[in-house]
Amino acid sequence: MAADRLLTTGQLARELGLHARSIARWAQEGQLKPTLVTPGGQYRWELEDVREQLRQLRKRSD
């Protein structure tokens, strides 16, 4: 996976129509797994991977 395809948390939030704080909180709680965590602790995301993780979360809550 090319690093230039990875999104910041803010970019991911805009793509998904969610709030960046929600995404960061879910990552901290272990509900979402970022594709990469930078040395500075910033999350980087692959859009389709997150969409699949969200689908799986929805299935578990049904």
Side-chain angles (χ1 to χ4, degrees):
M1 168 153 329
D4 61 347
R5 290 182 47 212
L6 298 179
L7 303 174
T8 65
T9 300
Q11 291 168 328
L12 178 68
R14 282 189 292 280
E15 287 287 329
L16 297 175
L18 299 169
H19 199 285
R21 287 184 189 163
S22 296
I23 294 170
R25 185 180 71 244
W26 295 336
Q28 290 169 347
E29 293 172 352
Q31 295 178 22
L32 286 180
K33 185 178 184 296
T35 305
L36 174 76
V37 180
T38 69
Q42 302 283 315
Y43 298 130
R44 295 295 181 263
W45 307 89
E46 199 280 315
L47 181 59
E48 289 307 315
D49 179 53
V50 174
R51 285 184 171 149
E52 180 58 30
Q53 289 184 61
L54 291 171
R55 279 191 285 274
Q56 294 301 319
L57 282 172
R58 281 191 213 108
K59 280 184 184 179
R60 281 188 251 154
S61 67
D62 288 343

